[in-house]
């Protein structure tokens, strides 16, 4: 019999080492790549972080590998996540983090120079135009969003997904998949006039600025 829990509860179990899959995004369940999020930063991350300038808000920081690295590089950086366990792990790394939804009031609104959306977090909430528009409010007018996106050929989609761990399933959450083919139109609809795309070792990201 399947037991239903909150997204945060199931995600926390995954961070503690329980096998977990996400269902609803692709045709088949996909293993949640927790090992990628908890490993140390490597060269495949460095190019993404090189694009972050100044004080950086790491949106959906997870267990904090990128927040920690940015702090080590000398950035003022804050990780935010809706999952308590993720924030705890980020703080255990010595980095600053808050349990906070991106749509709630955030520290330093209007003064952040970079908002980082790594690991596909441009999909948070399932409405990427709304998310990018919200981050425009958070950024300094000279600021930028660094958003990791899916490779060419991956179409834009917005779905209701869930996490599964054993006989436990999370309540549904809305998520979007945004690829490099669609990020320009989405960014323009969100008020960004300067969009540049970057690729390294098969990973893609877009840098969005107002002008």
């Amino acid at each position: 019999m399947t037991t239903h829990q909150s997204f945060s509860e199931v995600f926390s179990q995954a961070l503690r080492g329980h096998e977990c899959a996400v269902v609803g995004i692709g045709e088949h369940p996909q293993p949640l790549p927790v090992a990628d999020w908890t490993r140390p930063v490597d060269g495949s991350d460095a190019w993404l972080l090189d694009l972050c300038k100044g004080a950086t808000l790491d949106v959906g920081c997870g267990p904090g590998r990128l927040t920690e690295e940015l702090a080590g590089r000398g950035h003022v950086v804050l990780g935010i996540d809706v999952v308590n366990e993720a924030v705890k792990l980020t703080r255990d790394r010595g980095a600053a983090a808050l349990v906070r939804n991106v749509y709630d009031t955030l520290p330093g609104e209007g003064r952040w120079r970079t908002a980082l959306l790594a690991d596909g977090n441009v999909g948070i909430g399932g409405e990427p135009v709304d998310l990018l528009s919200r981050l425009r409010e958070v950024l300094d007018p000279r600021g930028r969003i660094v958003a990791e996106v899916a490779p060419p050929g991956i179409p834009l989609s917005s779905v209701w997904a869930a996490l599964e761990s054993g006989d436990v399933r999370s309540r549904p959450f809305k998520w979007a998949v945004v690829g490099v083919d669609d990020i320009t139109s989405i960014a323009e609809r969100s008020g960004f006039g300067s969009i540049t795309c970057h690729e390294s070792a098969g990973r893609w990201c877009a840098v969005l600025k107002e002008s």
Side-chain angles (χ1 to χ4, degrees):
M1 180 178 177
T2 300
T3 301
H4 289 87
Q5 296 181 353
S6 70
F7 169 85
S8 293
E9 289 172 319
V10 182
F11 192 80
S12 293
Q13 291 176 26
L15 291 176
R16 297 183 191 117
H18 295 266
E19 289 189 8
C20 188
V22 57
V23 295
I25 292 180
E27 185 176 349
H28 304 288
Q30 302 173 29
L32 202 66
V34 175
D36 288 341
W37 302 334
T38 54
R39 63 169 170 74
V41 166
D42 62 16
S44 70
D45 299 312
W47 72 281
L48 189 70
L49 301 182
D50 289 344
L51 297 169
C52 297
K53 307 298 181 185
T56 299
L57 183 71
D58 186 1
V59 181
C61 65
R65 81 184 192 284
L66 303 181
T67 315
E68 176 191 29
E69 176 66 14
L70 285 166
R73 292 181 175 206
H75 289 258
V76 173
V77 58
L78 176 68
I80 60 169
D81 205 288
V82 297
V83 179
N84 281 280
E85 183 74 12
V87 169
K88 177 183 179 298
L89 290 171
T90 301
R91 290 174 176 171
D92 287 347
R93 292 173 180 262
L98 289 176
V99 179
R100 197 67 57 89
N101 188 304
V102 67
Y103 291 101
D104 293 336
T105 301
L106 299 172
E109 291 207 17
R111 298 195 299 273
W112 294 99
R113 294 300 298 271
T114 300
L116 175 62
L117 293 167
D119 301 320
N121 281 340
V122 68
I124 288 172
E127 300 291 346
V129 172
D130 290 350
L131 177 60
L132 298 181
S133 298
R134 166 59 180 143
L135 290 176
R136 276 188 69 218
E137 300 172 350
V138 171
L139 289 172
D140 181 290
R142 301 164 294 172
R144 59 176 55 196
I145 295 175
V146 176
E148 188 169 1
V149 294
I154 304 296
L156 174 67
S157 63
S158 182
V159 299
W160 286 98
L163 300 181
E164 283 189 347
S165 180
D167 60 357
V168 175
R169 176 181 277 227
S170 77
R171 299 182 186 94
F173 59 92
K174 201 169 185 185
W175 192 264
V177 175
V178 180
V180 68
D181 297 337
D182 295 293
I183 189 61
T184 295
S185 63
I186 290 171
E188 288 174 345
R189 288 165 58 198
S190 307
F192 292 92
S194 172
I195 300 100
T196 57
C197 294
H198 306 259
E199 183 270 337
S200 177
R203 290 174 71 178
W204 290 79
C205 82
V207 176
L208 318 178
K209 295 184 284 187
E210 286 198 32
S211 59

